[in-house]
Amino acid sequence: MSRTPTQLLTPADQERRRGLRVMKGVALGALLGMAVVFLVSFAFEEQVPALAYVRAAAEGGMVGALADWFAVTALFRHPLGIPIPHTAIIPNRKDEIGRTLGEFVETNFLSAEVVRTKLEATRIAQHAGEWLREPVHAERVTAEASVMASGVLRALSDEDVQDVIEQLAREHLLQPDWGPPLGAWLGRIVESGAHHGAVDMAVETIQLWLASNQAAFAGLVSRRLPAWMPSLASRLIDDTVYNEAVKFAAAVRADPQHPARKAIDGYLDRLADNLQHDPATIGRLEDAKLTLFDSPRVRELAAEAWNTAKAGLLSSLADPESGLRRRAATAIAEVGERLATEPPLQHRVDTWVTDAAVFLVDRYRHDIASIITDTVERWDPAETTEKIELMVGRDLQYIRLNGTIVGALAGLVIFSIAHALLG
């Protein structure tokens, strides 16, 4: 159901309508005033010859008022409802006006030269930096960005995101063989000696455990001895095993060249080589990988990863005091400070923004201008006429009023010249 022009009027349009009615009344009053003056002067012209000048002025004023009324009315509708050619110009030529307006904007406002000249004189980076470096503005940008990011996260389909994560995990994590890259990584660790710290930590942990768990060695060996062995001998054996374990751990920890360390280095070196070149070792690792990450488990891990990340992000984005938002606001303020104080950076950013804007305008200016054309084409002729008349109609009524005054002066001058020359 189409809306009437009155239903489309905003409060500002309503005010313009009242002003238009007032000016129409003034212009019409001037015309009627000229008509009254004409009738009076025409009726008493013989008794008062000087009224001939008044009659000529009134006559010219009426002609000017009527001519300008016709011209103004013809822009928006047929005068007196008579379909005179070349009247009701705006409703009849609405689409052509829209195309002409679009071409005008495209040619005069969306040219590369105009955009480049304007942007080069604007100092975009400096102004943006001065605004962004204020903490309140940086926090505002962060808050708006957080709202947008939260909206995007909530709009995403959990199922679709989980499918993407699962697909990426299978493609980049599970499908490639793990053996060769793990072997190469382990080989580099062994070659650089980076594993020695882990060995030291393991030995230290064993020492601490031994110091705190001597009782665990009670019966460790003696339980496996014959029953006829004396209990004293059994205890002595258990204590000996414990003490030797403590000495061994201390010796490994104290000696960087201990044979046990050498044995560990050799084992890790062989393992690294086997992971890269031994099919049996590679196959066992792949079997273990497939057993650990079967299809249901991969799907479950993808869901857990996404749900955890999503919940954490939404919580951080919603909390103004969260670390994420505070760091983002700080980063934005720091960027603003640099933009405001570093001329080389300002020049780079201004150049980038200008070049990007010029490229977009030069490439898409016809599409941008077509918005005007397409929008005007969709407008209803009556609504278009109503809107345009409200925007410019009040000023056009001054044309009628001026036409009345100019017509009266012209009529007076013409009559005066004719009377002076012809008597």
Side-chain angles (χ1 to χ4, degrees), residues 272-352:
D273 184 72
N274 289 338
L275 286 172
Q276 296 179 76
H277 306 108
D278 181 30
T281 303
I282 296 174
R284 288 196 297 272
L285 179 62
E286 291 301 310
D287 292 340
K289 178 187 71 175
L290 295 177
T291 301
L292 180 63
F293 296 104
D294 57 356
S295 294
R297 181 58 179 165
V298 172
R299 182 68 179 179
E300 181 182 347
L301 290 174
E304 291 177 358
W306 167 243
N307 291 334
T308 301
K310 180 180 179 180
L313 285 173
L314 288 175
S315 176
S316 297
L317 291 172
D319 182 8
E321 300 300 323
S322 67
L324 176 62
R325 287 190 49 173
R326 295 185 69 84
R327 285 192 293 271
T330 301
I332 291 173
E334 291 175 353
V335 170
E337 182 66 27
R338 292 190 59 194
L339 286 174
T341 58
E342 298 182 14
L345 180 60
Q346 294 172 7
H347 177 71
R348 289 197 299 270
V349 173
D350 287 341
T351 301
W352 181 83

